Amino acid sequence: MAKQAISTPVIRRLPRYYRFLGELEAEQMERISSKELAQRMGLSASQIRQDFNCFGGFGQQGYGYNISELREKIGNILGVNEKTGVILIGAGNLGKAVATHLDFRKRGCRLVGIFDRNEELHGVVTAGLTIQPMHRLADFCRQYQPEVAVLCIPKGAAQELADQLLALGIRGFWNFSHFDLRINNPHIIVENVHLGDSLMTLAYCMHSTEKEKK
Amino acid sequence: MAKQAISTPVIRRLPRYYRFLGELEAEQMERISSKELAQRMGLSASQIRQDFNCFGGFGQQGYGYNISELREKIGNILGVNEKTGVILIGAGNLGKAVATHLDFRKRGCRLVGIFDRNEELHGVVTAGLTIQPMHRLADFCRQYQPEVAVLCIPKGAAQELADQLLALGIRGFWNFSHFDLRINNPHIIVENVHLGDSLMTLAYCMHSTEKEKK
DNA sequence: TAGATTGTTAATCGATTAACAATC
DNA sequence: TAGATTGTTAATCGATTAACAATC
């Protein structure tokens, strides 16, 4: 399909392009040049053109890019029209927040099940879904065949659960647990989100600019 | 202070080193070579040595690195013993989750205040703190001088609030709003966390490996 | 046609990897 | 001393930037 594998930095910029283009569209703008988009996004015009050209020519010489068209194309690349089945494991504070805070559908995903081992949560409805006990997980996966699992569980439980989910056909993990999930199978996708690391990076930067001043 | 500015990729790896070293310490391990650490973390030994040597020699030839010592040094670099004052704005699902889910103290931060514009939340206690109304923000900042603000607020409110907070002395933003905060002042640190972008990246990868197979 | 701006190739820059002398 | 492993320099790789011909 793709002529050449797309590099990670490019992939990570795609959602951001998509977001900015959505904002421009909402502002009723019709066209934009790589130069202007670059200014707004804090990138270089060259980089933007290079990025887009990984996927073929989206623009028109002398004119620039049509915003709606470009947004739609990037949306298709990102798969926003897919309906990837997603389950969420761990409906604590963070799990609930992820389930309710994010519009999965806008991103080509459908949250179809929420599970927690805590009995007190069973039957509670979050994000339109009833929290289910863990022992229902296997049957549920057989029936609905979700492809992605969101892990909002404690560190200690992550690896074991991931192995279990792999056996149930899960091919992608969005991992919020305080543990680096590593699976030695290139067909399994893992996206580790380490909020703690992000906070520490911020703290480091605060701290290091301070020193610079002295 | 620092001989040379540390590059972003290195900085972003530091919390991860810190985390892994903590795990090794918990396993009672005493020493480790760059080679073994590389295997465990999925990096190269060269890279690890290069990274550590940005900050000076932490190891000993023929022996490797002392785990506790190395962890402590990286901790100090990251400032885990600092007590940076942090306030959180927006105590919805995500705000509450961030406040309760993360141990700020372990990371050199102290969560000192939570604010929300929703009246129903005023007086509610989360993470040991009473949620306060927005009109108390200015006085609070004058009194406690927090340096970092966590923004868990809707997209539309972000830029305006950020400007207000800047005026109140905030120097760092941990931004969870669906909006790219950009502040044209190099002394102000912004860490944007875009959970939606992360999910889309995962979705893209799922989607693209699928095609590869065909 | 002239002006604008892309798509694309070449040059540069920076980060990662390899190699090896220093040294515990 | 011999073996191991670092610290550090040099080589490689990949990503970003610059340049410019193609073309709308």
Side-chain angles (χ1 to χ4, degrees):
Chain A
M1 182 93 231
K3 306 155 201 176
Q4 215 186 325
I6 309 300
S7 73
T8 316
V10 175
I11 295 170
R12 298 221 163 257
R13 281 193 291 269
L14 291 178
R16 194 153 172 266
Y17 287 127
Y18 189 70
R19 211 149 32 79
F20 271 79
L21 290 166
E23 283 172 23
L24 294 173
E25 209 178 23
E27 284 173 33
Q28 314 285 332
M29 274 181 71
E30 217 172 70
R31 60 170 281 271
I32 196 163
S33 66
S34 57
K35 191 179 162 192
E36 197 186 337
L37 187 57
Q39 273 168 350
R40 293 189 182 234
M41 295 186 64
L43 301 171
S44 78
S46 262
Q47 183 168 57
I48 287 177
R49 294 205 299 278
Q50 290 272 27
D51 283 358
F52 293 168
N53 276 81
C54 293
F55 306 96
F58 292 166
Q60 195 168 310
Q61 276 114 326
Y63 170 84
Y65 299 87
N66 178 290
I67 289 170
S68 316
E69 197 186 304
L70 179 59
R71 178 165 183 269
E72 203 190 325
K73 282 186 177 167
I74 294 179
N76 287 332
I77 291 163
L78 286 167
V80 294
N81 298 312
E82 310 274 319
K83 273 160 194 158
T84 307
V86 176
I87 54 174
L88 187 146
I89 323 277
N93 276 300
L94 187 60
K96 256 181 251 173
V98 170
T100 56
H101 184 257
L102 233 74
D103 190 336
F104 282 75
R105 273 180 226 178
K106 264 205 247 169
R107 298 178 170 90
C109 294
R110 234 171 14 153
L111 189 59
V112 293
I114 303 184
F115 297 83
D116 200 293
R117 64 177 183 192
N118 180 356
E119 283 185 20
E120 287 173 29
L121 292 173
H122 299 159
V124 173
V125 175
T126 314
L129 293 166
T130 305
I131 300 174
Q132 301 181 63
M134 294 303 283
H135 65 76
R136 294 264 287 275
L137 189 57
D139 275 347
F140 186 93
C141 288
R142 266 172 227 124
Q143 191 175 350
Y144 295 101
Q145 311 245 328
E147 291 183 87
V148 170
V150 187
L151 305 184
C152 293
I153 53 175
K155 186 176 156 153
Q159 189 64 62
E160 195 189 349
L161 182 60
D163 292 335
Q164 192 189 336
L165 289 164
L166 277 176
L168 293 171
I170 293 292
R171 297 195 307 109
F173 293 94
W174 199 22
N175 174 38
F176 287 80
S177 84
H178 189 66
F179 176 82
D180 262 52
L181 208 55
R182 284 214 303 142
I183 287 159
N184 58 347
N185 176 339
H187 292 106
I188 306 300
I189 314 295
V190 178
E191 173 86 3
N192 288 306
V193 179
H194 285 297
L195 296 181
D197 288 12
S198 172
L199 178 60
M200 283 177 113
T201 305
L202 173 62
Y204 171 87
C205 292
M206 298 283 305
H207 180 211
S208 73
T209 49
E210 212 170 75
K211 281 205 181 131
E212 228 172 68
K213 276 191 251 168
K214 284 175 194 170
Chain B
M1 183 93 231
K3 306 154 202 178
Q4 216 184 326
I6 308 300
S7 74
T8 317
V10 175
I11 295 169
R12 298 221 164 256
R13 280 193 291 269
L14 290 179
R16 194 155 172 265
Y17 286 127
Y18 188 69
R19 210 149 31 79
F20 270 80
L21 290 165
E23 283 172 23
L24 294 173
E25 208 178 23
E27 283 173 32
Q28 314 286 331
M29 275 181 69
E30 217 172 70
R31 60 170 279 272
I32 196 163
S33 67
S34 57
K35 192 180 162 192
E36 196 186 339
L37 187 58
Q39 274 168 349
R40 292 190 181 234
M41 294 187 65
L43 302 171
S44 78
S46 262
Q47 184 169 54
I48 288 177
R49 294 205 299 278
Q50 290 273 27
D51 284 357
F52 293 168
N53 276 81
C54 293
F55 305 97
F58 291 165
Q60 196 168 311
Q61 276 112 327
Y63 170 85
Y65 299 88
N66 178 290
I67 288 169
S68 316
E69 197 186 304
L70 179 58
R71 177 163 185 271
E72 202 190 324
K73 281 185 177 165
I74 293 179
N76 286 332
I77 291 164
L78 285 166
V80 293
N81 299 312
E82 309 275 318
K83 273 161 195 156
T84 307
V86 176
I87 55 173
L88 186 146
I89 323 278
N93 275 300
L94 187 61
K96 256 182 251 171
V98 171
T100 56
H101 184 258
L102 233 74
D103 190 338
F104 282 75
R105 274 180 226 177
K106 264 205 247 168
R107 297 177 171 91
C109 294
R110 235 174 10 156
L111 188 61
V112 293
I114 303 184
F115 298 84
D116 200 293
R117 64 178 181 190
N118 180 356
E119 283 185 18
E120 286 172 29
L121 292 173
H122 300 159
V124 174
V125 175
T126 314
L129 294 165
T130 306
I131 300 173
Q132 301 180 62
M134 294 302 284
H135 66 75
R136 294 264 288 276
L137 189 57
D139 275 349
F140 186 93
C141 288
R142 266 171 226 124
Q143 192 175 350
Y144 296 101
Q145 313 243 330
E147 291 183 86
V148 170
V150 187
L151 305 184
C152 293
I153 53 175
K155 186 177 155 154
Q159 189 65 61
E160 195 190 349
L161 183 60
D163 292 336
Q164 193 189 337
L165 288 164
L166 278 175
L168 293 170
I170 293 292
R171 298 195 305 109
F173 293 94
W174 199 22
N175 174 38
F176 287 81
S177 83
H178 188 67
F179 175 83
D180 262 55
L181 208 56
R182 285 215 302 143
I183 287 160
N184 58 347
N185 176 339
H187 293 106
I188 307 299
I189 313 297
V190 178
E191 173 85 2
N192 287 307
V193 179
H194 285 297
L195 296 183
D197 288 11
S198 172
L199 177 60
M200 284 177 112
T201 305
L202 172 62
Y204 171 87
C205 292
M206 297 283 303
H207 181 208
S208 73
T209 48
E210 212 170 76
K211 284 210 180 124
E212 229 172 69
K213 275 191 253 170
K214 287 176 193 171

